Amino acid sequence: MSAIVDAFNLVSSEDNPLGFNPDYVFNYFIPDKMPDGTPKEQVSVLVLLTDIQNIPGDYSSNVSHSVEGKVQIQIWYEFTDTSDYETLLRKYMEANGFYMYNSYTDKDPDIEKLYLTAKFNKNTFD
């Protein structure tokens, strides 16, 4: 599977240790309204996954036998939320073969939330 599919399955799992609601985890874009009709601004935690890059490697007989996938995970949350999403996400993803190589937190200019952006690598082999 691709890195984004693997990451999405981990983050949207009902038993993920981050406590994310699977209905509020999305690939590539976040809709204005959630599946239950709630506007995105009213959801306490939103998660977005995006592909960054997939690099084939380990060629033999002109066929690649590995892929280095790069995935970005963004988490929007309330200013009053005291969860350490960066540490929780890093530990959970590392336990599943994803390794963080960059992260930062900022204030979203459009909605009154903070957001964490974390980027991960995952190597897969045939």
Side-chain angles (χ1 to χ4, degrees), residues 6-105:
D6 290 345
F8 181 83
N9 289 340
L10 287 169
V11 173
S12 65
S13 169
E14 294 209 11
D15 61 348
N16 75 69
L18 299 141
F20 298 147
N21 180 335
D23 291 337
Y24 301 151
V25 177
F26 301 94
N27 278 340
Y28 303 110
F29 76 99
I30 296 174
D32 290 333
K33 293 207 182 261
M34 300 299 105
D36 62 6
T38 305
K40 69 181 175 187
E41 295 81 8
Q42 293 178 8
V43 175
S44 60
V45 178
L46 286 168
V47 182
L48 177 66
L49 289 85
T50 311
D51 263 324
I52 296 174
Q53 190 174 42
N54 291 299
I55 304 167
D58 295 318
Y59 285 90
S60 173
S61 299
N62 292 328
V63 176
S64 90
H65 294 280
S66 71
V67 175
E68 178 186 8
K70 295 179 184 254
V71 176
Q72 176 173 284
I73 300 174
Q74 293 178 286
I75 304 167
W76 282 262
Y77 56 96
E78 303 292 339
F79 287 97
T80 57
D81 189 335
T82 59
S83 300
D84 184 359
Y85 289 114
E86 183 172 0
T87 300
L88 292 169
L89 184 64
R90 181 182 48 79
K91 287 181 178 182
Y92 179 53
M93 297 305 281
E94 282 180 0
N96 289 283
F98 285 84
Y99 299 95
M100 185 184 287
Y101 68 89
N102 190 355
S103 69
Y104 64 90
T105 303

